[in-house]
Amino acid sequence: MPRDKLLVPLLEIAQGTALNEDDLVRMVGDEISRLSAGPRVHGYIQVIAIKCVSDKVRQSASHNRANGNRHAGEV
């Protein structure tokens, strides 16, 4: 079970890729750091970060499927 239940949809999106939970947690952490640099309202940054990473993983997975590379490396 994921450490954070907010990661469940992200883990589902990442199925079929080489990304594991630790990779996704690191990516979300990086995204949180990036998003935290400017906004004054921080309450939703984790949710926004997970959405951003989900979009990146989904786009990468779609690109990999289109190129016939189901288990490509990190985004």
Side-chain angles (χ1 to χ4, degrees), residues 6-17:
L6 289 174
L7 291 177
V8 171
L10 182 54
L11 287 166
E12 291 172 358
I13 292 167
Q15 284 181 338
T17 71

Side-chain angles (χ1 to χ4, degrees), residues 6 10 13 28 31 35 45-58:
L6 289 174
L10 182 54
I13 292 167
V28 169
E31 194 69 25
L35 291 169
I45 288 182
Q46 183 181 18
V47 173
I48 294 167
I50 290 172
K51 170 71 168 103
C52 291
V53 172
S54 295
D55 291 346
K56 289 176 187 177
V57 171
R58 186 177 288 119

